[in-house]
Amino acid sequence: MVRSQEALIGDWWPDWLATGCPALLLHGLDSFVLPTSMAREMAERRPATTLREFPGRGHWLHDDDPAGFAAAVREFLTAL
């Protein structure tokens, strides 16, 4: 698990900014993996990104708030 997480460390901006297709970024404000400032910067820097923030939720939104997760995805896909 540690090796897997270490493999995620690095500069992923080129990958994130490589396309302008619509993207949904779901962020639990209590995430210990992705800081809120980084999630907001990701949304600001990449065109067509929708950021949905979930107060009181952690990194695994689909576990913490399955209904909220599903609603956000449904709303995003319906708007496309």
Side-chain angles (χ1 to χ4, degrees), residues 3-5 11-12 14 18 25 32 36 39 46 53 64-65 72:
R3 285 190 188 129
S4 174
Q5 290 178 335
D11 181 4
W12 297 102
L25 177 57
F32 63 90
T36 298
R46 187 175 184 277
E53 296 179 331
D64 291 349
D65 186 358

Side-chain angles (χ1 to χ4, degrees), residues 8-66:
L8 297 174
I9 297 170
D11 181 4
W12 297 102
W13 282 112
D15 295 321
W16 176 246
L17 300 174
T19 180
C21 67
L24 175 61
L25 177 57
L26 303 177
H27 175 62
L29 293 174
D30 292 345
S31 173
F32 63 90
V33 177
L34 179 64
T36 298
S37 61
M38 177 66 77
R40 290 176 180 168
E41 184 178 358
M42 290 171 69
E44 289 172 13
R45 290 181 61 181
R46 187 175 184 277
T49 298
T50 299
L51 173 63
R52 288 288 309 272
E53 296 179 331
F54 290 77
R57 305 294 187 232
H59 190 69
W60 292 278
L61 291 170
H62 61 284
D63 284 334
D64 291 349
D65 186 358

